[in-house]
Amino acid sequence: MDNFKWTRKDLLSLYDLEAEEIEHILDTAEEFKKVSQRNVKKVPALRGKTVVNFFVEPSTRTRMSFELAEQRLSADIININANSSSLKKGETLLDTARNIEALQADLIVMRHSAPGAQSLIAKNIRCGVLNAGDGAHSHPTQALLDLFTIREKKGSLKGLKVSIIGDILHSRVARSDVWGLIKLGAEVTFAGPATLVPKEFENIGVRVCHNLKDALVDADVVNLLRIQHERQKRGFFPSTNEYAKFFGLNEASRKYLKPDALVMHPGPINRDVELDSAIADGPQSVILEQVTNGLAVRMAVLFLVSGCVEK
Ligand code: CP
């Protein structure tokens, strides 16, 4: 790994990455995590570089941790608010990106509701592009922080059984986690109601399961996902209460969980729907550690891609 050379100017999807590239990001993030444990939490790695944060969809964790990561790396930062930008006047996304490029920005961190929006920009401008979530397609830094957290807690991903439970159909987290987990040697189960976890997912090499107990009993890691009402155009289950009863991790279902299983959630949590508060805040939960690790992972990817952007 010492001689590994990162060559990508963009981070768009974990599907694109080789296992050794993912491992290299995680190793780099380990080093950056140490920076955040020092008294002086800042390094000059991105001094003189400009990063534009362009969030066209809401975000709390991803936006905060990208911005903090950029500050810790000493970058100059511009935040664009989509609602008060000229997108509202009909300017195209690509024209907006070309204007960012004309201002000699180096990196764009973007969240957008349209799958592929970041890829479109990355192909057409010099700046490096980091995907902070594109519709239901991809959220690579969330997957990387999930992988980092599992590796930190369990030592290795190889042979681990990871169950991702919930609204897989509309989840960019599931679609990103799965590639990283498979590439690093974990066995993945997708679980939830058949309407949200179609059997077709078996074609990508995951086990599909419509029974919560089966998803929990031998899992080393369970990752609970929120029901993404904002991406659903019809009812996928009769009621939230029924969803919580049959697929929520709660007092009734926690007995199936192994005592050393990690409980994860990308946030935001719908408390007492997919995950009971007592478990979200309990000893098996690593949910806030995921957030802490997101900072280190985002420092790592900003650092790596910035080294591949043409001047
Ligand atoms: N996990 C995640 O992407 O959270 P935010 O939407 O708050 O960024």
Side-chain angles (χ1 to χ4, degrees):
M1 199 58 67
D2 285 345
N3 296 324
F4 184 89
K5 184 158 169 35
W6 182 265
T7 56
R8 296 178 190 271
K9 81 163 182 74
D10 310 299
L11 179 72
L12 300 173
S13 153
L14 286 208
Y15 180 79
D16 303 332
L17 301 187
E18 303 295 332
E20 64 176 355
E21 292 179 286
I22 296 172
E23 296 274 16
H24 184 66
I25 295 171
L26 302 185
D27 292 344
T28 308
E30 256 179 28
E31 296 306 311
F32 279 117
K33 188 163 179 176
K34 291 176 196 159
V35 171
S36 291
Q37 288 159 350
R38 294 186 203 153
N39 281 339
V40 178
K41 297 178 170 55
K42 208 156 171 151
V43 290
L46 261 65
R47 193 160 59 197
K49 306 270 185 196
T50 303
V51 185
V52 176
N53 296 311
F54 188 15
F55 279 67
V56 184
E57 265 196 339
S59 168
T60 296
R61 283 147 287 270
T62 311
R63 186 176 186 149
M64 276 200 308
S65 66
F66 260 118
E67 190 169 339
L68 187 56
E70 293 149 14
Q71 289 171 357
R72 296 266 166 99
L73 294 169
S74 309
D76 298 320
I77 302 166
I78 298 171
N79 293 311
I80 302 180
N81 181 339
N83 284 330
S84 56
S85 80
S86 288
L87 283 176
K88 281 281 178 192
K89 300 180 213 161
E91 185 165 49
T92 67
L93 192 60
L94 197 49
D95 276 339
T96 305
R98 286 189 174 126
N99 279 271
I100 294 171
E101 181 183 38
L103 290 170
Q104 297 174 319
D106 298 284
L107 298 173
I108 301 178
V109 175
M110 188 166 86
R111 172 169 286 190
H112 201 283
S113 56
Q118 292 85 343
S119 300
L120 172 75
I121 286 174
K123 284 193 195 97
N124 285 286
I125 62 170
R126 174 194 55 82
C127 309
V129 178
L130 294 116
N131 182 358
D134 59 332
H137 174 237
S138 186
H139 192 354
T141 56
Q142 178 67 46
L144 288 163
L145 74 87
D146 291 344
L147 297 172
F148 184 96
T149 304
I150 298 169
R151 193 177 81 157
E152 186 173 65
K153 292 284 174 191
K154 297 283 187 186
S156 163
L157 276 289
K158 213 164 181 55
L160 287 186
K161 292 183 167 44
V162 180
S163 290
I164 305 177
I165 301 164
D167 183 0
I168 308 290
L169 194 61
H170 302 97
S171 173
R172 57 190 171 211
V173 175
R175 280 185 183 74
S176 300
D177 277 355
V178 68
W179 299 122
L181 289 164
I182 289 174
K183 286 172 194 219
L184 298 193
E187 293 171 30
V188 182
T189 294
F190 280 171
T195 47
L196 294 175
V197 192
K199 277 275 178 201
E200 287 72 35
F201 279 117
E202 286 175 349
N203 297 334
I204 62 169
V206 306
R207 178 174 74 122
V208 167
C209 159
H210 300 129
N211 176 297
L212 182 61
K213 180 182 170 190
D214 290 347
L216 294 179
V217 282
D218 59 356
D220 301 296
V221 178
V222 295
N223 194 3
L224 286 306
L225 302 181
R226 175 176 72 85
I227 300 299
Q228 307 226 358
H229 293 290
E230 72 274 26
R231 299 193 205 285
Q232 296 184 2
K233 292 194 172 55
R234 62 186 169 90
F236 284 83
F237 45 85
S239 71
T240 302
N241 281 349
E242 276 154 302
Y243 179 84
K245 182 171 173 199
F246 291 107
F247 292 100
L249 184 56
N250 52 36
E251 272 313 302
S253 54
R254 75 186 305 175
K255 62 176 174 285
Y256 302 121
L257 208 54
K258 287 188 351 187
D260 63 345
L262 304 179
V263 174
M264 304 180 76
H265 195 300
I269 303 170
N270 287 149
R271 283 178 178 268
D272 305 322
V273 179
E274 69 271 13
L275 182 58
D276 267 22
S277 278
I279 305 169
D281 304 329
Q284 286 181 257
S285 169
V286 293
I287 294 169
L288 291 177
E289 289 177 74
Q290 288 174 260
V291 177
T292 303
N293 292 334
L295 176 62
V297 160
R298 288 175 178 124
M299 288 173 81
V301 294
L302 285 160
F303 170 72
L304 290 170
V305 299
S306 73
C308 299
V309 175
E310 283 175 32
K311 301 278 182 298

